[in-house]
Amino acid sequence: MRLLTIMVAMMLATPVVARASDPVSVVLKPAGIFDGVDGKVHAGWQVIVTGDKIVAVGADLPVPAGAQIIDLAGDTLMPGMIEGHSHLFLHPYNETTWDDQVLHEPLALRTARAVANAKATLLAGFTSERDLGTEGAGFADVGLKAAIDQGIVPGPRLSVATRAIVALGAYGPKGFEPGVVIPQGAEEVSGVDQIVAAVRRQIAAGADWIKLYADYRWRPGEESHATLSLEEMQAAVAAGHDAGRPVAVHAATAEGMRRAVAAGVDTIEHGYGGTQEIFASMAAKHIALCPTLAASDATARYRGWNGSEPAPPSVELNRTSFRLALAAGVPICMGGDVGVFAHGSNAREIELLVAAGMKPAQALIAATWGNARWLHLSDRVGAVKPGLLADLIAVEGDPTVNVGAVRHVRLVMKGGHILPDSAGIGMPRL
């Protein structure tokens, strides 16, 4: 008994030595921290990361024994940005038209390109991304997400929508002999039973989000018209929400937007036809708008616009609807419809939000904590605060003064792991 007492006493008196398998702490020391929540840059703050989580944030933090210290003098540390509207399986339309991508590019080619697009997006500082449709590439986004999650290829944390759901005959490609079966860029439905079945089929295949088209062009060159009925959208939303899946809706007309709002969707994409009344309804129901300013800007440039003012009508319409939404207090989702323009240049949307009337800090919040909330990710990412995943980036300068600083990413950390390609700072996986 006396021997056992001595042994216990010796064990209690012996200092605990960290095992080789214990995670190493990392201390990030930037010039300041934009935490994503309050819109300020906090000078002198530091962050301690252990494993894949943020464990401490603030000034004059005690440095854990054996911690790796990374000096980011002159840089602002902020949450990894979140892309709200992308298509990783598309590439810019001035390279290859949408029709040709859907009809003629092999799935293996499109998937290989999507892998490269995912890496470019991550290196640009976007550590999470909502991909809203594979545009003819089936369920390949589910496989890409799995490859990223398993560490096979680098990329953002993906939320995927698989195949968008459209009204029968209302999408594309078009322009072929009537009756000839042509591969489509989305899943076609007609009626409540079919749309509910499509929603459930996609959820079973791995969809995190459901993407609907409330309106589109029935024939090439026509104006957009409402396509899915209110009853169809209500049924799709109910089926999605029953399974815990939020619903995003492409809506470019006033009627399409009215139906989407009435159906209780979670986000509306584009919103070009929005009115004060519609945006007031969206604000009251906390439905976020992804204005995709960069998409209309890019397509106008492909058609010959050189960027000078006055802007083409399509660009001005997009700006006007965004300003109406902003004035109405609609939550703004930062999403550029990337794929229409080059992956990795996602920050283009943030700059255009500021140019159209948002303050830099507002646009940065939209790209971080705002998107985390609207996209149902706020329990994991979107802010620099203890307990969240260590998805962090460092940018050169102060982005709240010059929002263009988000294009100058000096370091990317995802889940506590610094990408060597992002800053030349090698570090073992924690």
Side-chain angles (χ1 to χ4, degrees), residues 79-83 121-122 124-129 155-158 381 390-393 412-415 419:
M81 294 180 284
I82 303 169
E83 172 57 58
T121 302
L122 181 59
F126 290 79
T127 54
S128 296
E129 181 169 18
R157 302 179 192 278
L158 290 185
V381 298
D391 287 7
L392 303 166
I393 65 171
V412 178
M413 172 182 279
K414 180 187 171 190
L419 275 70

Side-chain angles (χ1 to χ4, degrees), residues 90-175:
L90 291 177
H91 58 107
Y93 298 169
N94 63 335
E95 297 175 358
T96 306
T97 66
W98 182 87
D99 278 16
D100 281 346
Q101 291 183 50
V102 174
L103 290 172
H104 301 302
E105 291 188 344
L107 180 58
L109 172 64
R110 297 189 68 186
T111 302
R113 183 179 279 117
V115 169
N117 292 339
K119 181 178 180 180
T121 302
L122 181 59
L123 289 175
F126 290 79
T127 54
S128 296
E129 181 169 18
R130 183 177 63 157
D131 196 79
L132 284 180
T134 59
E135 305 293 329
F139 299 104
D141 54 351
V142 177
L144 176 59
K145 175 185 176 180
I148 292 171
D149 290 347
Q150 293 175 33
I152 298 169
V153 297
R157 302 179 192 278
L158 290 185
S159 298
V160 300
T162 67
R163 305 173 68 196
I165 298 173
V166 299
L168 179 65
Y171 205 52
K174 290 182 177 293

Side-chain angles (χ1 to χ4, degrees), residues 260-298:
V261 172
V265 306
D266 296 275
T267 67
I268 289 178
E269 315 303 307
H270 315 302
Y272 307 142
T275 64
Q276 287 182 334
E277 177 188 13
I278 291 170
F279 287 129
S281 297
M282 287 179 64
K285 291 189 174 185
H286 306 289
I287 297 172
L289 172 72
C290 271
T292 64
L293 297 170
S296 61
D297 180 271

